[in-house]
Amino acid sequence: CITHWAYGDRALGLDKIPQYYTRRLGRVFLTAWLAMAFSAAVDVAKDQSLGSAMHLGLCVLFLEPWRDPEDWCPDGQSWTIAALLPSWLLYPWSRNLITWAARGGGQVCSSRDGGRQGI
């Protein structure tokens, strides 16, 4: 719902979807990758193992938290991005359904005060 509150008023035609992905994911990925690199550098400086190349590759792709949640990536909080990534990827394709449900009186999002409301 936060994504819909941020992007719901904007037209998201097929020509705008690449721009949405670039803006939404680009900032988040860049920041997370920088944090992972910094955390990995700290781990190396402390003589701690970074894990296998596969583990690190899956961390960079934000897939490791889905495969093995107990095996933390450098910058362990990247699991949050892994959890939000499916909804960010699906939002442009589900936006019309969310808008349609809200216009029909459907209760599709929780309001900030804990009540239920349409969008």
Side-chain angles (χ1 to χ4, degrees):
C1 288
I2 298 297
T3 301
H4 193 68
W5 284 331
Y7 288 93
D9 294 340
R10 300 178 188 173
L12 265 181
L14 288 176
D15 59 326
K16 299 286 186 180
I17 291 175
Q19 181 181 14
Y20 163 79
Y21 285 140
T22 301
R23 286 185 175 172
R24 180 39 114 184
L25 302 177
R27 295 173 186 153
V28 172
F29 283 7
L30 179 61
T31 305
W33 288 333
L34 288 172
M36 279 186 206
F38 181 76
S39 294
V42 169
D43 287 346
V44 168
K46 292 168 59 176
D47 291 327
Q48 293 180 348
S49 172
L50 293 177
S52 69
M54 180 179 168
H55 167 71
L56 292 175
L58 291 173
C59 286
V60 168
L61 296 173
F62 302 103
L63 296 174
E64 185 67 4
W66 292 99
R67 187 183 74 85
D68 186 5
E70 297 297 320
D71 194 5
W72 281 68
C73 295
D75 179 34
Q77 305 311 315
S78 60
W79 68 268
T80 306
I81 297 167
L84 291 171
L85 190 56
S87 62
W88 289 337
L89 292 174
L90 292 173
Y91 176 71
W93 311 105
S94 61
R95 179 181 175 274
N96 290 337
L97 179 64
I98 294 168
T99 303
W100 173 78
R103 286 187 186 145
Q107 303 294 319
V108 293
C109 288
S110 295
S111 67
R112 292 182 184 120
D113 65 359
R116 301 289 290 174
Q117 69 178 14
I119 297 175

